[in-house]
C-alpha cells in the first residue's frame, strides 16, 4: 500500500509523536486516499513541536495557534494552510474520540481556500522544456545523473499520459509492461487500479531508461528506483521541476509557472483541443479518456477542462458533445 511506503520515510519524535503514529495507522487501515499529504503535514507539525516550548505530549490551543501563526508568516497559500489545519483538526477528533483532551480548531475558522487557475503550458513550451532538461542531464555529474534522467522521464509520463506524480513515482518494475505497452497503476486515488496504454515512442524511451537504470541498480523494486527499495521523492521532483522551468523560461517562467499537476491538466486540454480540431466524436472518446485518467466519472474530466479559460470554440464543442453523458445539473453547476 502506498501509504505504508510513504510513512516509512517519517520519524515522529515529539512527545505527541506516538499519538500521531497511532492516528496515521488508523488512517492507513481506513485506506484514506489523502493519507500521504496528511502524514507529511503531521511530520512537519511534529518537528515544530520538538523545537518549541509546546512539546508537552498534548494537542493544546497554544501549540496549534503558534503553528498556524508560523504558517501564515511563511506566506503560504490559504489552501495549503487550510489543508494543514484540517489535518491537525482530524488528529484532534481522533484523540477526543479516544478520551484524550485535545484542542479542536474550529471548522468555521479554517482559511478559505483561493484556488488559482492552473497555468497550462503550450505544446511548444512542453517540448522546449523536455529538450532543456535532456541537455542538462547530459552535463550532470555522475552522482546526480540518474536522478536527472529519472525526472526527465517522469516529466514525460505526466504530460504524455496524464499521470499523477505519485502514480509515476510509485510504478514498480513489473507494472511497466512492454509486452502490451501498458502501465498498471496500482491503488491510485480512491484506492482504484487501472491500466494506461502508451505508444511505441514512449515504449522505447521507457525501455532505454530501464536498461540504463539496470547499470546503477539492477535489483531495484521501483521502475524509477534509486536503490533496491527506494524511489524518487515527490517534493524533490516538484523542486526540480520548478527550478528548471524557471531556468528554461527565465522571466516568462515567473509569471507563467505551472505546477507538476498542471501537466495532467495540459494532457486533458491538448487532447480535447485536438479532438475539436479533428471533429472527433467526443461522446465515444470521453469515457475512454476518463478511464485512462482514473476519474470516477466523465463529469470529473469535464470539470478539468471547464475550469480553464481561453479555449472558446473547443469548450463549446465539448459542452455540446458532453450533453448526452453528463447530467444536466452538473453542466449547469459548471456553466453558471
Amino acid at each position: 500500500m502506498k501509504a505504508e511506503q510513504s510513512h516509512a520515510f517519517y520519524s515522529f519524535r515529539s512527545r505527541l509523536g506516538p499519538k500521531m503514529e497511532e492516528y496515521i495507522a488508523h488512517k492507513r487501515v481506513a485506506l484514506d486516499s489523502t493519507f500521504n499529504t496528511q502524514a507529511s503535514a503531521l511530520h512537519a507539525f511534529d518537528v515544530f513541536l520538538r523545537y518549541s516550548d509546546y512539546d508537552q505530549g498534548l494537542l493544546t490551543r497554544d501549540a496549534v495557534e503558534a503553528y498556524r501563526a508560523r504558517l501564515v508568516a511563511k506566506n503560504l497559500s490559504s489552501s495549503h494552510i487550510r489543508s494543514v489545519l484540517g489535518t491537525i483538526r482530524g488528529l484532534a477528533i481522533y484523540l477526543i474520540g479516544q478520551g484524550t483532551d485535545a484542542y479542536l480548531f474550529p471548522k468555521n475558522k479554517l482559511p478559505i481556500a483561493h484556488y488559482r487557475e492552473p497555468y497550462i503550458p503550450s505544446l511548444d513550451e512542453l517540448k522546449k522544456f523536455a529538450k532543456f532538461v535532456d541537455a542538462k542531464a547530459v552535463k550532470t555529474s555522475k552522482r546526480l545523473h540518474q536522478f536527472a534522467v529519472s525526472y526527465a522521464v517522469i516529466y514525460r509520463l505526466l504530460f504524455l499520459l496524464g499521470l499523477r506524480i505519485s502514480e509515476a513515482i510509485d510504478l514498480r518494475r513489473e507494472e511497466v509492461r512492454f509486452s502490451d505497452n501498458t502501465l498498471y497503476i496500482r491503488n491510485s486515488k480512491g484506492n482504484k487500479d487501472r491500466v494506461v496504454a502508451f505508444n511505441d515512442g514512449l515504449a522505447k524511451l521507457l525501455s532505454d531508461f530501464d536498461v540504463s537504470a539496470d547499470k546503477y541498480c539492477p535489483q531495484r523494486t521501483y521502475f524509477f528506483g534509486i536503490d533496491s527499495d527506494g524511489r524518487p521523492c515527490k517534493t524533490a521532483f516538484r523542486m526540480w521541476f520548478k527550478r528548471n522551468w524557471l531556468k528554461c523560461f527565465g522571466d516568462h517562467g515567473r509569471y507563467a509557472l505551472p505546477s507538476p499537476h498542471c501537466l495532467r491538466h495540459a494532457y486533458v486540454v491538448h487532447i480535447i483541443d485536438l479532438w475539436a480540431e479533428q471533429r472527433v466524436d467526443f461522446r465515444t472518446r470521453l469515457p475512454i479518456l476518463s478511464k485512462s485518467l482514473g476519474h470516477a466519472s466523465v463529469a470529473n474530466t469535464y470539470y478539468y477542462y471547464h475550469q480553464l479559460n481561453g479555449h472558446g470554440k473547443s469548450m463549446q464543442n465539448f459542452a455540446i458533445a458532453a450533453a448526452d453523458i453528463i447530467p444536466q445539473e452538473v453542466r449547469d453547476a459548471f456553466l453558471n
Side-chain angles (χ1 to χ4, degrees):
M1 187 187 303
K2 291 182 183 180
E4 291 172 336
Q5 296 156 5
S6 178
H7 174 56
F9 290 95
Y10 297 118
S11 177
F12 294 84
R13 299 178 181 175
S14 70
R15 293 184 180 179
L16 190 60
K19 289 295 183 181
M20 292 186 188
E21 291 181 334
E22 286 181 18
Y23 174 62
I24 290 170
H26 167 74
K27 300 297 285 186
R28 185 190 303 134
V29 171
L31 295 176
D32 193 309
S33 62
T34 61
F35 174 85
N36 290 338
T37 301
Q38 294 181 18
S40 175
L42 286 179
H43 178 256
F45 183 51
D46 178 82
V47 173
F48 166 78
L49 291 176
R50 284 170 53 203
Y51 296 100
S52 70
D53 295 329
Y54 306 105
D55 191 11
Q56 303 164 2
L58 297 173
L59 186 61
T60 65
R61 177 172 184 164
D62 288 345
V64 175
E65 290 294 345
Y67 192 57
R68 183 188 66 82
R70 171 169 289 197
L71 295 176
V72 172
K74 288 184 177 181
N75 199 28
L76 298 173
S77 68
S78 59
S79 59
H80 178 80
I81 296 175
R82 180 183 179 87
S83 176
V84 172
L85 293 178
T87 297
I88 295 175
R89 191 173 188 276
L91 172 63
I93 293 173
Y94 173 76
L95 293 174
I96 293 171
Q98 286 191 323
T100 302
D101 288 338
Y103 171 64
L104 183 62
F105 192 89
K107 190 173 183 179
N108 62 356
K109 290 188 178 181
L110 290 172
I112 297 175
H114 298 287
Y115 295 101
R116 185 182 65 178
E117 180 179 306
Y119 175 73
I120 304 301
S122 67
L123 290 175
D124 287 339
E125 288 176 318
L126 293 170
K127 292 176 182 177
K128 180 178 178 179
F129 184 74
K131 292 180 179 177
F132 176 82
V133 294
D134 286 348
K136 191 171 181 181
V138 173
K139 301 176 183 179
T140 304
S141 65
K142 185 176 181 180
R143 183 173 67 88
L144 299 176
H145 178 75
Q146 192 61 19
F147 280 101
V149 174
S150 297
Y151 290 159
V153 177
I154 291 171
Y155 161 71
R156 285 169 166 85
L157 292 184
L158 302 189
F159 82 83
L160 289 176
L161 297 179
L163 298 189
R164 302 177 178 93
I165 303 176
S166 59
E167 293 172 347
I169 288 176
D170 285 331
L171 280 169
R172 296 175 183 269
R173 294 193 67 181
E174 67 272 14
E175 293 168 348
V176 181
R177 306 184 295 202
F178 295 108
S179 58
D180 59 356
N181 283 6
T182 60
L183 304 176
Y184 180 72
I185 307 299
R186 162 186 45 84
N187 193 30
S188 185
K189 187 175 181 179
N191 304 300
K192 296 179 180 178
D193 300 343
R194 73 181 191 278
V195 174
V196 177
F198 53 86
N199 62 21
D200 291 339
L202 193 51
K204 185 178 187 310
L205 177 70
L206 292 171
S207 178
D208 289 346
F209 172 82
D210 192 34
V211 172
S212 173
D214 260 346
K215 299 177 181 178
Y216 292 89
C217 187
Q219 303 300 323
R220 70 191 195 282
T221 300
Y222 295 94
F223 189 77
F224 296 106
I226 54 178
D227 53 40
S228 59
D229 294 315
R231 66 213 188 283
C233 169
K234 286 191 294 184
T235 301
F237 176 83
R238 290 190 181 99
M239 292 174 61
W240 170 89
F241 178 78
K242 179 179 180 180
R243 181 174 64 251
N244 283 285
W245 188 272
L246 292 175
K247 288 182 179 179
C248 180
F249 295 101
D251 290 339
H252 170 71
R254 297 184 185 281
Y255 299 102
L257 176 63
S259 68
H261 194 70
C262 286
L263 302 178
R264 180 170 158 89
H265 285 272
Y267 169 75
V268 175
V269 167
H270 293 314
I271 280 188
I272 290 177
D273 283 350
L274 180 63
W275 287 351
E277 181 182 328
Q278 297 177 346
R279 300 190 177 183
V280 169
D281 184 356
F282 283 76
R283 287 168 294 184
T284 59
R285 296 289 185 88
L286 278 173
I288 299 174
L289 177 60
S290 294
K291 187 175 182 180
S292 176
L293 289 166
H295 284 164
S297 68
V298 173
N300 289 10
T301 308
Y302 185 78
Y303 173 77
Y304 254 51
Y305 194 82
H306 170 267
Q307 64 179 317
L308 307 170
N309 296 319
H311 292 276
K313 189 66 176 177
S314 297
M315 184 65 243
Q316 293 177 27
N317 291 342
F318 189 23
I320 293 170
D324 293 342
I325 49 181
I326 297 179
Q328 180 66 42
E329 60 270 19
V330 175
R331 287 185 284 120
D332 290 345
F334 289 153
L335 294 173
N336 294 330

